[in-house]
Amino acid sequence: MAVTSAQIRMARAAVNWTVRDLAQETNLHRNTITNIETERYVGDEATLAAIETALKRAGVEFIDENGGGPGVRLRKRQRKRE
């Protein structure tokens, strides 16, 4: 499943990142991210993979549950063992 522009916007909101934050984490220009999010540019495979990887490292899970459409959620935090 390729990450969608809506998922990128939702994921950034979930981790409270600006376009600049995501650009810094991916080493992409912020205009590239904005253009992907607004669907002015589809993005090549490597660019979308870089975005997806950075957001996953931040705790985002990309989902497509049983025909419910693509979405995102935050990973459950692991409890520290005592």
Side-chain angles (χ1 to χ4, degrees):
M1 169 181 102
V3 64
T4 68
S5 60
Q7 284 177 303
I8 295 168
R9 291 190 308 271
M10 288 185 284
R12 275 195 317 100
V15 295
N16 198 29
W17 280 4
T18 64
V19 169
R20 283 182 190 258
D21 295 330
L22 183 55
Q24 184 175 353
E25 292 296 319
T26 58
N27 293 316
L28 297 170
H29 195 279
R30 65 185 180 275
N31 289 346
T32 300
I33 294 168
T34 298
N35 287 335
I36 291 170
E37 287 186 355
T38 60
E39 299 179 355
R40 282 182 268 178
Y41 171 63
V42 177
D44 59 42
E45 198 172 306
T47 300
L48 295 176
I51 292 170
E52 186 174 355
T53 298
L55 290 166
K56 283 181 175 180
R57 278 196 313 258
V60 172
E61 290 182 356
F62 292 89
I63 56 175
D64 186 10
E65 292 191 22
N66 299 328
V72 299
R73 64 179 168 217
L74 292 176
R75 273 193 311 261
K76 291 183 180 177
R77 296 185 187 255
Q78 299 289 327
R79 288 188 175 178
K80 290 185 179 181
R81 294 184 182 183
E82 295 180 26

